Amino acid sequence: MDAHARNVTARARTAEAPAAAAPAPARGVRGEKSLQDLRQSSPDGIGGSPLRPDGALKARGEFAYSSDLWHEDMLWGTALRSPHPRAAILSVDVSGALAVPGVATVLTHEDIPGTPYYGLDVADQPALAVDRVRYHGEPIALVAADHPETARRAAKRIAVAYEVLTPIVTEEQCLDPQTHGHVHEPGEERSHARGNVCHEQWVVSGLGVTDEVRARADVVVRGTYAVGMQDQAFLGPESGLAVPAEDGGVDLYVATQWLHADRRQMAPVLGLPEEKVRLTLAGVGGAFGGREDLSMQIHACLLALRTGRPVKIVYSRDESFFGHVHRHPARMTYEHGATRDGRLVYSDARIVLDGGAYTSTSPAVVGNAASLGNGPYVIPNVRMHALALYSNNPPCGAMRGFGAVQAAFGYESQMDRLAAELGMDPVEFRQLNAVRQGDRMPTGQEIDAPAPVAELLRRVKEMPLPPPLAPDGPDQRELPGALSNSTHGEGVVRGVGYSVGIKNVGFSEGFDDYSTARVRLEVIGGEPVALVHTAMAEVGQGGVTVQAQIARTELGVEHVTIQPAATTGIGSAGSTSASRQTYMTGGAVKLAAEAVARELIERGRRRHGWTQRDLALAGGAVVSAADGPLAAVADLLGDEPIDLTRVHRHRPTFPFDRETGQGRGHVQYSFCANRAVVDVDVELGLVRVVELSAVQDVGRALNPLAVVGQIQGACTQALGLAVMEEILLRDGEVRNASFTDYLVPTVLDTPPIPVELLELPDPHAPYGLRGAGEAPTVSATPSIVAAVRAATGLALNRIPVRPEHLTTERPGPL
C-alpha cells in the first residue's frame, strides 16, 4: 500500500466509539453477543464501508448522467442570454429565429402561462427577463429545435434592443443607491430590499465592543480581508429532459439537489398544480450547492408544454457558469483584542457579501456568516455585523460551506496575527481559546454536544510531517511548477500553517427541516428484501449507500433496493446540502426501518407467544440476546409485506434576533482542524501544496471510507479557493467562463490528504453522527494561506492567492 492509500484509510477511534463490525453469525447459532452487536454484525451495515452501487459504473464511464437522457422524439432547447449586466429591454424580435429551418418554437416572458417569477425563498427572479436584465447571462428567450446547433444558431438571430445602463457592482456603489441606483426598483412587489441591502444580521454578546472593553486588551490586531467569487465547478453540466404528459402536466428528469423545492417553484410559473409537475432524479455529476437553485428546469418544461414534444436541455460549459449561483464574494474587517497571556477579550467584525442580482439563499448565508463568523473560540465580548448586497454581478447562493468559508479566512488570519503579536505558538493560542462542550457561542446558544477543538488541533499538529525536499536535487515533479521545469529548487521555500473551523449542520433559524422515508420489507425469491424510498438527491455524496447500510442494520437483511428518487409517492427529503442528508434522510430511514422491525416482531409475538423483552432483527432472523434466533424473517413475512413511512425532524431551531443575534439558531456544529505544508517558488509566485492533513470529529462514521472521501474532497475544494479558483469580473461581466481560464485542482495539484476521524457521539443525532461534508471546506483554506504566509512573510489578505501576490512587496488590491 503506497503512502497516499494509507492516507485514505487512516482513522482514529476514541474509546467511546463502537468496535469495528464483526462478521455476521451463522443463522441458527446462539452466541453471547448483545443485541447491539447482533444488529450491527453485517459488514455492509453501519460502521462498514461497502462498495458504492454507482462507483464502478462511474469509474468505467458507464454511469448514465442527466446529460445522457434521450427520447426518440425529442427537441433540443437553449436560451438567449444577456451580454450586459444591467440594461433595460426595449424590444425583442424573434422572427429571425422562427425562420430558421428546424425551429419548433421561440418563447419570451410573454409566453409564460403562470407567474413569471420564482425563487427558493423570495420569488424575485424572472424565468425570462421581463423589462430589464440585472446580470450578465440572464436568460431572455428560449428556442426549441430539432438539433442543438440549430437551436443555438436560431437563438443568435433573436434581435434584442437594449438601453445599456451603468452596472452597480462595487460595495460603495451598492451602499449609495441615491447616486448609483437600485438593482431592484423601490416599490417592486417582489423586492424585499432596503436600498440595495438584501439582508443583514447583527450579533452582540457580552458588553459588545466599547471603549471600556477595548481597554481590557493588551494587544489589538486589525485586518481587512477579501474572498473572491468561487464556482462549484461540478463536472456534469446542468441538464434534463422534460416530457409533456397526457393529463396536461409534465414529467421532468433532471439533475438537482432538491426535487420538491424545484417543483414548488416551477408549478406557479408553468401555471400548473404541483401534482401535475412530476420530477424524477437523473444522474447527477456533482452539485456543491450549485443545483439548489433552478437552472434549466422551468425552461425545458415551458418548451415541452408549448411544443407537445419532449425537450432536452444540456448547458455548455460557458453557459453553466452563467446558469447557476456561485459562492458569495466577501469583504471583511476584523478587530480582535487579547490579554498578554493570550486570552481573547473581544471581536469586532463586519462581513459584506455580494449576493448578486437576486435573493437566492443570501439571507441564510448572512445568518451563517454572522453566527459562525467568530470561529470556534470563547470570546467574552462580540460585535458582528454581516450583510448581503444586491448588485449587478452574477447571483450568488449556496456553495459548500455556506457563509462559514468566507468568515473562517478572516478570523483564522486574525488568530495567526494575534499569536505572532503575542509571541505564542499559533496552535497553542487556538487551543487556549477553543470552545468546549458546555460553552456558549456568541449567539448565546449552548454547545450541548462534544466540541473537541483543542484535541483536533493537538492531533493534527502531532501527525508526521512530510519529508523535506531532497538537498541533493529534488524530484522535478515535487517542485512548484512541476514538469514545466521552471525551477530546480532555487527560490523554493517551505511553509507550514494550521487552522480550525466550525460549520453548522442542517437547516437553521426555525426552518421546518425534515425528511421522509418509506421502507418496505417483503419476501422475493424466498429471501427477505428491503425496499427504501426517499426523495433524497444522490449527487455523489454516497447517500444511497448509507441508506442501504441503515436498512441492513435495522432489519437484519442483506438485500436492499433503493427506489429512484422522485416527487411522486414520497414526501420531501429536503436538499442535499448543509451536511444534512445522512442526519436527516438517514434518520428518516432509521425511523421507518425501526417501525417495520417492531411491526414484524409484534407479528412474531402474536403468532408464537414470545415473552422475551429484548428482540431485534439480525442475520435474517428475529433474535434474542439470551435465546438466539427465534424465527426467520422470511417465514414471519410470508406473503404479507410490511410497508411503513416515517418523517424525521431534528430538534427545533429559532430565528436569531435581528439586532442582537441571540437565539438557538443551529441544530448541530461540526469541527475540523487542518495542517498545510506548502512549497513556494518565491521568485515565480508558484505554490505547491505538499500535504494537507485533516482531523475531524464526525460523531460516528456510518461509512468510514465515504467519510474520509468527503473530507478529502472538501479539502481539495478548499485548496482551489486558496490558490487558484475565482470567477473574474469586469464591470459585472464574467471574463473566464471556461475550464481553460477558471482553474480547478487536478489530480496533479491535489496532495496526499491524511485524515484522522474522531468519533465522539452527539446524543441528539441518529447513531450519534455529525454532518461531515463541509467543515473541511471551512477550515482547510486558511491553513494553506497560513503556510504560504509562513514561507513568504507576506500578509496575503485576499484569496485566492495569485502568483503576482507573491512576487511583489504588496500582495495586490482587495
Side-chain angles (χ1 to χ4, degrees), residues 750-814:
T750 304
I753 305 175
V755 174
E756 287 189 10
L757 305 180
L758 268 67
E759 295 186 85
L760 302 175
D762 180 344
H764 311 289
Y767 300 115
L769 68 87
R770 195 184 301 270
E774 291 179 284
T777 315
V778 176
S779 57
T781 295
S783 70
I784 296 169
V785 180
V788 178
R789 288 192 191 109
T792 64
L794 296 172
L796 302 178
N797 53 7
R798 187 191 191 281
I799 51 175
V801 176
R802 300 177 188 150
E804 62 266 29
H805 298 163
L806 303 177
T807 55
T808 60
E809 285 298 319
R810 296 182 179 179
L814 291 174

Side-chain angles (χ1 to χ4, degrees), residues 326-473:
H326 314 288
R327 189 186 300 287
H328 291 71
R331 184 183 177 96
M332 304 171 288
T333 57
Y334 275 89
E335 178 183 312
H336 283 86
T339 60
R340 183 61 59 188
D341 62 358
R343 295 284 182 179
L344 288 169
V345 175
Y346 73 87
S347 171
D348 192 7
R350 185 172 187 263
I351 299 175
V352 181
L353 302 163
D354 184 348
Y358 297 105
T359 301
S360 184
T361 55
S362 285
V365 173
V366 168
N368 269 14
S371 60
L372 305 174
N374 288 286
Y377 302 110
V378 177
I379 309 177
N381 306 287
V382 167
R383 180 172 62 186
M384 162 69 75
H385 183 209
L387 64 159
L389 304 176
Y390 289 116
S391 74
N392 292 120
N393 290 319
C396 292
M399 184 173 175
R400 195 178 199 167
F402 202 78
V405 168
Q406 297 91 325
F409 175 62
Y411 66 69
E412 284 299 89
S413 298
Q414 288 284 101
M415 294 304 105
D416 281 335
R417 292 185 59 192
L418 275 167
E421 286 288 328
L422 292 164
M424 294 182 65
D425 177 271
V427 172
E428 292 176 1
F429 175 74
R430 287 174 168 86
Q431 290 175 308
L432 179 66
N433 292 284
V435 295
R436 296 178 295 177
Q437 185 171 356
D439 286 333
R440 291 188 180 274
M441 295 292 289
T443 59
Q445 179 169 345
E446 180 185 355
I447 302 174
D448 58 1
V453 176
E455 174 68 4
L456 297 176
L457 287 160
R458 182 189 68 81
R459 285 176 176 265
V460 79
K461 187 177 182 181
E462 292 180 353
M463 293 177 77
L465 284 163
L469 290 171
D472 55 346

Side-chain angles (χ1 to χ4, degrees), residues 633-647:
V633 168
D635 293 340
L636 283 175
L637 284 169
D639 58 358
E640 299 179 67
I642 300 174
D643 193 324
L644 297 173
T645 298
R646 292 293 183 268
V647 175

